Amino acid sequence: MPDIIFTKALRREYASTPAVEGMDLAIGEGSVAALVGPNGAGKTTFLKMIAALLEPTSGFARVAGHDVRESPRGVHAAVGYLPDFFGLYEELTARQCLRYFHLAYRLPEPADRRIEEVLELVNLRDAADKPIESLSRGMRQRLGLARTLLHDPKLLLLDEPASGLDPGARRELQELLRRLASTGKTIVVSSHILTELEDYCSHVVMLDRGRLVFSGTVAEARARAGGGRRLRIRVLGPVEAARAALAGDPAVSEAAPAPDGWAFRFSGDDESAARLLRSLIEKGVKISSFADDSGSISDGYMKMMPREGA
């Protein structure tokens, strides 16, 4: 798939101190990428440069086919950016707020239809005519996201969207991001809640002190945690057919019996895993589960991030 974000030697300094330093990164269209790292890692600075809201000190960044320096308006048209802290006019209703921003963005009419679409998308239609000052933190977050969706951007950049939300509101946000991802939008979400990111992200980008530490799929991040990718299958039978299929796959090693099946190291990619699953089925093996048994994103994060003082 083509890259919707591509950077080369991207750098941003504040008073000669680098906040982002020498970043080479590519994120493909349709990805849902978790942007993780400790406070001060450069996550917000990176997102602002990608949104063409902050000019790089040096290096190159292309977003949705637009150079962030030469075509910032092109980037703005393709990107929906939700910062960690954003303002809303609290005396307005949610619907009035969206109408205001629809006019401010100079979007084509009819406004009402698009406003109804985004209210439905973020599940705020029942609260559309309530004053913003009466809305919960979770509802305000969804309204902020609705505002970023008005111009139907290809790419969403979300800076700590779950910050300050209670568990129920975080779950609602997760479901909303899954729905947006299913429509084909590319999403980059910055967060410290790593366990929740695993449920809907396809890729992970790790930053530390302005530098890129890791960029890859969730499966690759998990594999780093466990010293390699591991899979686990549970089978209903026949056992010998399953054993033969595993023994005949060159990507399988260290297969060991596990409850109702096997756990094994797997050196292949997702396409190879799909072929293995197909081979098992074609051999008549009844499979009740086929899952990644590597470490979590959090495990990978702790293993790959430099230790303090290193």
Side-chain angles (χ1 to χ4, degrees):
M1 68 179 68
D3 295 330
I4 195 167
I5 297 174
F6 177 82
T7 72
K8 188 70 175 176
L10 190 66
R11 180 183 178 90
R12 172 69 195 197
E13 296 178 355
Y14 294 103
S16 300
T17 300
V20 170
E21 187 169 5
M23 186 178 295
D24 297 342
L25 179 66
I27 295 177
E29 286 186 7
S31 302
V32 182
L35 181 64
V36 300
N39 291 331
K43 300 187 298 295
T44 296
T45 296
F46 171 72
L47 290 177
K48 286 182 176 180
M49 286 193 287
I50 294 304
L53 298 175
L54 185 66
E55 187 171 351
T57 303
S58 61
F60 172 80
R62 183 180 65 239
V63 177
H66 301 278
D67 186 306
V68 297
R69 280 198 184 90
E70 297 178 357
S71 182
R73 289 191 179 276
V75 175
H76 297 164
V79 169
Y81 173 58
L82 184 66
D84 189 4
F85 300 100
F86 56 90
L88 297 169
Y89 297 103
E90 301 216 345
E91 66 274 15
L92 300 180
T93 66
R95 193 189 309 276
Q96 289 170 337
C97 177
L98 291 176
R99 176 173 288 279
Y100 170 84
F101 282 104
H102 194 281
L103 292 170
Y105 294 158
R106 299 181 181 179
L107 298 176
E109 297 290 339
D112 291 342
R113 184 172 66 186
R114 182 57 184 162
I115 289 170
E116 290 303 315
E117 288 173 350
V118 296
L119 284 169
E120 179 72 26
L121 188 59
V122 303
N123 195 25
L124 272 181
R125 290 194 67 179
D126 291 345
D129 296 309
K130 294 180 180 179
I132 293 173
E133 63 185 358
S134 71
L135 301 183
S136 68
R137 167 73 176 173
M139 288 180 173
R140 291 176 187 229
Q141 200 76 348
R142 281 185 277 146
L143 179 57
L145 190 52
R147 187 188 73 185
T148 71
L149 291 167
L150 278 171
H151 63 298
D152 194 22
K154 295 180 181 179
L155 170 65
L156 290 175
L157 304 175
L158 312 179
D159 195 357
E160 297 284 354
S163 176
L165 299 185
D166 61 46
R170 290 205 303 270
R171 175 162 294 188
E172 289 178 353
L173 179 64
Q174 284 179 275
E175 291 300 324
L176 173 55
L177 294 182
R178 287 192 188 96
R179 289 201 303 274
L180 291 172
S182 71
T183 68
K185 292 192 183 299
T186 307
I187 304 173
V188 179
V189 54
S190 165
S191 179
H192 291 295
I193 309 172
L194 303 183
T195 53
E196 294 182 0
L197 293 174
E198 289 188 82
D199 292 337
Y200 59 86
C201 287
S202 60
H203 290 72
V204 184
V205 177
M206 298 184 185
L207 304 184
D208 182 64
R209 288 171 278 192
R211 293 184 177 275
L212 182 65
V213 174
F214 171 83
S215 176
T217 66
V218 167
E220 289 168 341
R222 288 171 173 164
R224 293 284 189 95
R229 187 177 188 183
R230 299 192 66 84
L231 298 179
R232 179 183 294 267
I233 62 170
R234 298 183 66 183
V235 301
L236 303 178
V239 173
E240 286 307 316
R243 190 193 312 275
L246 293 177
D249 192 307
V252 173
S253 63
E254 300 180 23
D260 301 323
W262 283 271
F264 51 90
R265 194 174 300 281
F266 190 73
S267 61
D269 57 13
D270 288 343
E271 287 291 333
S272 300
R275 285 194 294 271
L276 173 60
L277 178 58
R278 184 168 61 248
S279 173
L280 287 161
I281 293 171
E282 289 173 349
K283 285 180 170 57
V285 180
K286 297 178 181 179
I287 300 171
S288 60
S289 70
F290 186 99
D292 199 309
D293 196 38
S294 306
S296 66
I297 291 180
S298 298
D299 294 334
Y301 176 87
M302 295 304 296
K303 187 166 185 176
M304 286 184 277
M305 294 298 284
R307 288 183 171 82
E308 195 69 32

